């Protein structure tokens, strides 16, 4: 008999006192039950979020709050989007170590946030999103506003420094392969206000544009490696200079080094944006670019207009006739028109004053050596009653596409992820 078994068997055999014997039997039963519980727990495979949570203990309660509330959500999205276990561990560790500590103070007992972020409807600092991939797998994106510990106080009323500190931290520590700050330095100097204290803060600027001195960041968890993007709200500098948001963006792009500006071939797009501002009341809301080398980086200009007609849609897609319709396939035109109708077909041709921000938008992308490309983006909350209706319309769209066999399984995974969250 194995030595480890001798003490138990020997003890039971020599005990004469019935009371002590009962205690021994109960003790043995407890050990057997505990062993069964351990075996049962071991049969359920641990997920990356569980293992990381068991190893990390945040020193600050605010950080622990954001990890507990949002780390599990990111984990579910990564899992259902088809990322490998190794990719899930990498992203969750990065999120825990380098993003969670940047999300600022947790809300108080009443849900009040001392600092509200501009990129989410309720002002929370984080926006997780799912981009539909062509290979049946989603691409997950984390957008957030780095928030300083004193943001919203007299010491840092505009949360002015944290985004810069976070990006420089990535650079100093070599945390993102291919990170390049050349355009970062240029556009921070040309799209943000030179003296924030001179900006007259209106209610619109304060909530929509002012937080983080007008910036937030995104980490695209691309299958070929993560990409960091910076998003800037040009409204603060526009207010400082007394010009339009579009003027700020155009001046910033045109002030790039001559060879870089020439390689973008962006004149047709910039001309159209001026034209659309008059024709459709199109307004520039966000300016974005990748933090990689200028030769590879993409500049994106996000716009909105109160118009919802297909005429507006086709005008934007062709840059007001500067592009020939033949550049798009018939299927592509049919797809985008169906998407437009499914989500906003029952809206009035022009949205009433005061809700322009809810209107359908376009983002125009320029990259060295490539023609400018317009793409549609729609905030479904503006046209749907609730999340269930958004999912219903989205499923309707995918079910009528040629590649529905690839899109619908991804739709199923997306819904499962939301249900688990």
């Amino acid at each position: 008999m194995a030595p480890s078994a001798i003490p138990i068997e020997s003890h039971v055999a020599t005990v004469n006192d019935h009371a002590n014997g009962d205690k021994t039997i109960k003790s043995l039963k407890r050990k057997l039950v505990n062993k069964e519980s351990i075996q049962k727990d071991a049969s359920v495979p641990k997920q990356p979020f569980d293992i990381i949570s068991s190893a990390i203990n945040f020193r600050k309660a605010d950080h622990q709050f954001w990890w507990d509330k949002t780390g599990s959500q990111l984990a579910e999205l990564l899992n259902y989007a088809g990322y490998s276990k190794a990719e899930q561990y990498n992203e969750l560790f990065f999120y825990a170590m380098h993003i969670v500590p940047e999300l600022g103070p947790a809300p108080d007992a009443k849900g009040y946030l001392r600092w509200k972020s501009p990129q989410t409807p309720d002002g929370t600092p984080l926006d997780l999103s799912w981009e539909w991939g062509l290979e049946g797998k989603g691409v997950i994106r984390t957008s957030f506003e780095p928030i300083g510990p004193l943001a919203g106080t007299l010491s840092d009323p505009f949360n002015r420094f944290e985004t810069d500190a976070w990006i420089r931290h990535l650079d100093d520590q070599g945390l993102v392969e291919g990170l390049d700050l050349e355009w970062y330095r240029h556009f921070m100097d040309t799209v943000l206000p030179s003296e924030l204290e001179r900006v007259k803060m209106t209610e619109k600027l304060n909530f929509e544009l002012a937080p983080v001195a007008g910036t937030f960041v995104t980490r695209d968890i691309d299958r070929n490696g993560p990409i960091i993007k910076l998003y800037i709200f040009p409204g603060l500098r526009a207010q400082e200079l007394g010009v339009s948001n579009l003027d700020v963006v155009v001046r910033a792009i045109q002030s790039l080094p001559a060879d870089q500006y020439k390689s973008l071939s962006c004149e047709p797009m910039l001309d159209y944006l001026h034209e659309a501002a008059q024709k459709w009341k199109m307004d520039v809301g966000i300016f974005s670019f990748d933090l990689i080398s200028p030769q590879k980086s993409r500049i994106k200009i996000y716009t909105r207009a109160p118009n919802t007609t297909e005429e507006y849609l086709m005008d934007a897609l062709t840059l007001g006739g500067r592009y020939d319709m033949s550049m798009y396939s018939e299927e592509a035109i049919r797809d985008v028109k169906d998407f437009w109708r499914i989500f906003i077909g029952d809206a009035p041709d022009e949205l009433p004053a005061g809700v322009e921000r809810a209107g359908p938008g376009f983002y125009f992308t320029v990259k060295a050596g490539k023609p400018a490309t317009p793409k549609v983006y729609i905030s479904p909350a503006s046209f749907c009653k609730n999340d269930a209706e958004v999912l219903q319309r989205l499923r309707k769209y995918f079910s009528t596409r040629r590649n529905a066999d690839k899109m619908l399984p991804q739709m199923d995974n997306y819904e499962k992820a939301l249900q688990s969250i």
Side-chain angles (χ1 to χ4, degrees):
M1 183 176 290
S4 62
I6 291 175
I8 295 176
E9 194 164 287
S10 173
H11 181 67
V12 173
T14 58
V15 170
N16 294 319
D17 184 274
H18 292 295
N20 288 339
D22 290 342
K23 292 179 180 178
T24 302
I25 292 171
K26 290 179 180 178
S27 176
L28 286 170
K29 287 181 177 179
R30 283 197 298 272
K31 290 179 180 179
L32 289 172
V33 171
N34 289 340
K35 184 178 180 181
E36 291 175 357
S37 299
I38 292 171
Q39 290 175 337
K40 184 177 180 181
D41 291 342
S43 67
V44 179
K46 296 289 186 181
Q47 296 301 314
F49 175 77
D50 301 319
I51 294 175
I52 294 174
S53 294
S54 69
I56 292 180
N57 184 24
F58 292 93
R59 294 182 179 181
K60 295 185 178 181
D62 290 334
H63 300 170
Q64 190 68 54
F65 170 86
W66 290 117
W67 171 252
D68 291 340
K69 293 293 184 181
T70 65
S72 59
Q73 296 178 3
L74 176 59
E76 294 291 349
L77 290 171
L78 291 170
N79 179 42
Y80 282 104
Y83 287 86
S84 68
K85 282 290 195 292
E87 290 169 329
Q88 292 178 49
Y89 275 110
N90 286 340
E91 286 308 318
L92 288 171
F93 265 122
F94 186 94
Y95 183 75
M97 298 298 292
H98 305 293
I99 295 181
V100 163
E102 299 294 333
L103 298 181
D108 63 20
K110 296 182 179 179
Y112 173 76
L113 283 167
R114 188 177 72 199
W115 187 261
K116 289 188 174 183
S117 298
Q119 79 274 18
T120 58
D122 60 356
T124 51
L126 177 71
D127 183 16
L128 300 175
S129 59
W130 177 306
E131 177 185 328
W132 252 253
L134 298 177
E135 302 302 322
K137 296 181 179 180
V139 176
I140 303 305
R141 176 180 297 138
T142 57
S143 299
F144 70 100
E145 176 187 5
I147 299 174
L150 300 177
T153 69
L154 292 177
S155 300
D156 186 15
F158 301 110
N159 190 29
R160 188 167 189 175
F161 311 106
E162 198 66 18
T163 295
D164 184 67
W166 187 75
I167 289 174
R168 294 188 184 281
H169 166 72
L170 297 184
D171 190 40
D172 292 341
Q173 300 300 316
L175 292 170
V176 179
E177 186 176 354
L179 188 74
D180 189 304
L181 302 187
E182 180 180 347
W183 274 9
Y184 171 75
R185 288 185 284 266
H186 173 81
F187 288 124
M188 289 289 279
D189 287 342
T190 55
V191 183
L192 288 178
S194 56
E195 295 183 34
L196 195 57
E197 290 72 15
R198 291 171 50 193
V199 177
K200 181 180 179 182
M201 301 306 295
T202 65
E203 182 178 353
K204 178 181 178 181
L205 284 173
N206 189 51
F207 182 70
E208 296 181 11
L209 306 174
V212 159
T215 64
F216 65 96
V217 293
T218 287
R219 177 179 169 89
D220 274 8
I221 310 174
D222 191 85
R223 302 287 174 171
N224 297 319
I227 299 174
I228 304 297
K229 302 177 181 179
L230 184 73
Y231 294 76
I232 305 178
F233 293 88
L236 289 170
R237 189 173 185 88
Q239 203 270 1
E240 178 188 41
L241 300 178
V243 298
S244 70
N245 291 3
L246 176 58
D247 289 334
V248 170
V249 167
V250 170
R251 293 176 186 180
I253 295 175
Q254 290 179 338
S255 63
L256 284 168
D259 60 328
Q260 293 181 12
Y261 176 74
K262 183 179 180 180
S263 71
L264 295 175
S265 303
C266 57
E267 289 87 353
M269 178 197 68
L270 297 180
D271 289 343
Y272 173 70
L273 291 178
H274 283 292
E275 178 183 295
Q278 300 297 320
K279 185 176 181 180
W280 303 110
K281 303 177 185 176
M282 183 182 281
D283 183 39
V284 171
I286 302 174
F287 178 80
S288 170
F289 56 95
D290 306 322
L291 271 65
I292 55 179
S293 68
Q295 293 73 31
K296 298 179 180 179
S297 182
R298 299 161 298 172
I299 292 174
K300 295 184 179 182
I301 301 173
Y302 290 78
T303 69
R304 285 193 188 274
N307 201 285
T308 67
T309 64
E310 286 190 18
E311 182 186 0
Y312 162 56
L313 167 66
M314 300 313 299
D315 189 68
L317 291 179
T318 61
L319 298 187
R322 291 167 177 82
Y323 287 169
D324 192 278
M325 282 294 295
S326 62
M327 69 176 293
Y328 299 110
S329 69
E330 291 183 5
E331 182 182 21
I333 294 298
R334 185 167 59 252
D335 283 349
V336 74
K337 283 186 175 182
D338 285 349
F339 185 80
W340 189 270
R341 293 189 195 106
I342 286 172
F343 275 96
I344 62 175
D346 52 357
D349 288 351
E350 185 167 336
L351 298 175
V355 294
E356 295 91 345
R357 194 171 180 234
F362 295 85
Y363 64 89
F364 299 85
T365 304
V366 292
K367 181 181 179 179
K370 303 288 184 180
T373 57
K375 293 184 180 180
V376 177
Y377 77 97
I378 295 173
S379 299
S382 304
F383 305 98
C384 300
K385 297 176 182 177
N386 49 45
D387 289 347
E389 185 178 348
V390 174
L391 293 175
Q392 181 183 18
R393 295 193 188 194
L394 197 56
R395 181 172 286 280
K396 179 181 178 181
Y397 173 74
F398 285 134
S399 67
T400 57
R401 298 307 98 192
R402 178 174 55 83
N403 56 353
D405 59 324
K406 294 182 178 180
M407 290 294 122
L408 288 177
Q410 195 174 163
M411 181 76 203
D412 293 338
N413 287 334
Y414 178 65
E415 291 192 50
K416 289 176 184 177
L418 294 185
Q419 290 167 0
S420 65
I421 289 173

